[in-house]
Amino acid sequence: MRRSLAGSISLFAICAASPAIAQDQPVQEPQAQPANGVEEIVVTAQFREQNLQDTPLAITAVSSDMLEARSQTNVAEVAAQAPSVSLKPQGSSYGPSIAASIRGVGQYDFNPALEPGVGLYIDDVYYATLTGSLFDLLDLDRVEILRGPQGTLAGRNSIGGAVKLYSKRPTGSNTGYVSATYGIRDRLDLRASADFGLTDTLSTRISGVSKSQDGYIKRMDFGCVYPAGESDVNPEGGVTATLPYNSDCVSAREGEVNFEAVRGQLRWEPTSRLDINIAADYTHDDRNNGGSVLVERRNAAGEIASPYYPYPANPSARVFDINPYEADVPYDSRFVCGPYCNFANYAMLADNGQPALSANGRTKFEGWGVSGQVDWDVTDSLQLVSISAYREYRSQFTNDDAASPLSHSLGISDLTFWSFSQEVRLNGIALDDRLEYTVGGFYMDQRSVYGALQSLRYSGLDPFIQDDPVNADTKAAFAHVSWNPIDPLTLTAGIRYTDEHKDYTYVRRTLDGGVHPQLGALDGVTGTYDHDRVDYRLNAMYEITPEISVYGQWSTGFKGGGINPRPFFAQQVLSFDPETLESFEVGFKSDLFDRMMRLNLAAFYSNYNGIQLALNNCPQAGAGFAVPCSLPSNAGDAHVKGFEVETSLRPVDGFVIDGTVSYVDFDYVADSLEPASGIQPDMVSNYTPKWKWSIGAQYEALLGSAGSITPRFDASYQSDIYTNAINGPTNKIDDYIVANARLTWKNEDEDLELGVEVTNLFDKYYFQSLFDLTRAGAGFVTGLPGRPREWAVTAKKKF
């Protein structure tokens, strides 16, 4: 279709697999669309195909065409146009992971012993960790983002919502495409996909991507920039240079891209009632660290808190020698390099009996998986769906948290993970198609081993080796029923029972494998967690007219608890309970003015209880054991309320405007707060902006035999957020607006496309995430800056 980029949530429609029951997984065949008007959108949020406007949920759905039009290549970028959603890549301290939050509920810590809070899925396969979740948008059909607790629908730990990516399935069309992108700092992206029919019943689809680009954050050699003895910044006997003085003093460029991925699918349709799809994928990511910069920050009293060690400067502070040089070189603002550079050297010099250590300053992720989905129409009114999956990855990353040449801290991590999951659903219809039901079960078994070498001289701990295995398994049974007693009214109910187990074993040894003098009491200790829970959903939707409907919903969800995965002392081996959410939501969905405008609204109120927050100071561990600390704790309860607006307009043929607005008001319940947490009633949850909005516009101008040209402009806004549970000026990210632009030309046959894009059009400097350890006594804040203005040119050929 000529006007394929029709709106912010346009999708290819999905074909039904039998006269009575639609396939659980869509096939990429477009339905006929009105010549001028917003598209029909089909989603599978309630286990079966439904028009988006007939689905009584708050959903953002984005098609592959719109992802391309917005110059979006990973899942974190999609969140900019999704109301109440925050998906942020993390800096080097947390490796290749993201911070995920929806409506003030989520998680930012990558540790595999902690649950995401926002469910992440590819082709209905659950991804159990935040590590490796910065998904590339490889050969997708669409992205669905479900807001609010999905305790009965998306299931495991989707208390805040769910982000679901759906791949294009093989159709035997003998079609495909290749595309190449070249851009600033030698960016080179190659993408390709091909769909082949092998026989009348067997088809395959193969897709691949390779991306490379030089980094935008310079890792500078401090001793080279400031030669020892030439200034007070680096006095005689201070930091030595590792690069020649006549060089550019750049030891590495962080934030680079070096990524490859491939996915293959084999689809067998022996009859019209049976559809079997087997998929396998492989990802390789090997690059310099994601990049962080040391930032100067002041506390509420206006005193410098970063970079400043020891902080806080008081008699109770534990002060240790982090300077291995002869001269007095304090940890202060001399190590603030600039907006896009740092002075990290990934080395600890031998000093005071402590050994010399070094790391390569790189991040590596290698993962693969295989899955199989079977859709069997047992009868015209009964369908069986089975989804089996195995996933495995290894993530290796290093961190020089203080971003300086002083011997403050150094980490070398090696995280391995595997999981097996099995889901079975039985979809049926009854009562002359007025009753639709789904019953099913889910099982997942997973194991991770978090190995690391940690040297935290600022804390006074000797270097230690950890190699902590975490075992977890989940079993669930669920049922979902939709009843249409009269034509305008649909009543829906859902229930899910979940039983889960987790055990965590601590391994703490010296570098030579001996008993650690300070952490030896932790070695071999195992903590266990067991919990079961029932979640519910009740929903009513009323169709006022065929184009306007309203709905109301009550739903619940939870995120599993566990044992503190990062105790620095035996006194910090403390447990935490699950957090729970009860949400009330009303919504309005409409296609107005002869389908020239789509307007969807949602308002919600949630009771958020037992909130799990990571504390950087834990006095509950006892005097002398409060810092360093990274303790998950049930800090208190909150009431969360807000509203969301999504719209798409087509005022004339070829002209598209889309926009979103969201407001989230997060209020802690004062008398529920744990006094030891330090959280105050006026604080808010991590990564929760009060306001978000986005707007986009494009116009496709037809040029006859010369094809068409489409300019597009997008802008998104995020209000202030805090990245730590204890809000403060040191971990505040100020509000910002980021804009992108793209110009696309297509030939008359629409099989050749050229595009020019500029992201961060106005070169806004902003932070995506912050790592604030001032309250933990480390005296620093580092941040991951957003990418500066970048340009790229893309050529795409379809065949």
Side-chain angles (χ1 to χ4, degrees), residues 18-37:
S18 72
I21 298 183
Q23 289 288 344
D24 198 81
Q25 172 72 29
V27 178
Q28 291 72 38
E29 294 293 341
Q31 294 177 348
Q33 303 289 351
N36 184 28

Side-chain angles (χ1 to χ4, degrees), residues 188-240:
L188 181 61
D189 295 4
L190 301 174
R191 294 177 181 269
S193 180
D195 192 312
F196 299 106
L198 303 178
T199 69
D200 290 343
T201 61
L202 196 64
S203 57
T204 186
R205 189 177 186 96
I206 301 174
S207 309
V209 58
S210 173
K211 301 192 296 185
S212 63
Q213 186 180 23
D214 291 340
Y216 64 102
I217 298 175
K218 296 179 180 179
R219 190 189 303 164
M220 308 295 295
D221 178 3
F222 185 84
C224 175
V225 176
Y226 302 106
E230 293 189 3
S231 70
D232 293 338
V233 175
N234 190 16
E236 186 71 31
V239 181
T240 56

